[in-house]
Amino acid sequence: MSLPKFILGDNTAYPNAIYVIHTEFPRFIINLENDEVEWFEDFDAEDQKELETETENAIKLATEFYDAEIEKYDE
C-alpha cells in the first residue's frame, strides 16, 4: 500500500488536538495544538545531525500541509 507523506488525524478524547502524521523518515506525529512530537524511529548518535536537519524541514512541511488542507475546507 502506498501512503501519502502526511495524514491528518484527530481523536474525540482530545478535542482540541490536531495531529499531522508524517509517514516517511523520520516518521512522527506532531500535535499542532502544542507542537509536541512523538517519534516512530529510534535514533543513535550518528543520526543526530541528519535528524536535526530533517526534523526542522519535516515539521515545517507538516504545518504547511495542514494549512493547505484547511484552506480547501474554507473554499
Side-chain angles (χ1 to χ4, degrees):
M1 168 175 35
S2 178
L3 295 174
K5 185 174 185 171
F6 296 105
I7 301 170
L8 285 178
D10 66 357
N11 189 301
T12 56
Y14 303 95
N16 295 324
I18 299 170
Y19 302 98
V20 176
I21 300 100
H22 184 257
T23 63
E24 297 176 1
F25 182 85
R27 296 174 303 146
F28 64 86
I29 296 177
I30 182 170
N31 180 346
L32 296 178
E33 176 188 25
N34 58 16
D35 293 333
E36 186 175 329
V37 176
E38 181 71 31
W39 298 100
F40 294 124
E41 311 287 354
D42 292 323
F43 302 105
D44 58 29
E46 293 175 11
D47 294 330
Q48 192 63 34
K49 185 64 177 170
E50 180 181 1
L51 176 63
E52 289 172 5
T53 303
E54 290 293 323
T55 299
E56 183 177 328
N57 188 46
I59 289 173
K60 178 180 177 268
L61 291 174
T63 302
E64 290 172 357
F65 165 77
Y66 171 76
D67 291 340
E69 290 295 304
I70 293 304
E71 279 185 28
K72 292 175 188 174
Y73 287 106
D74 290 339
E75 294 176 351

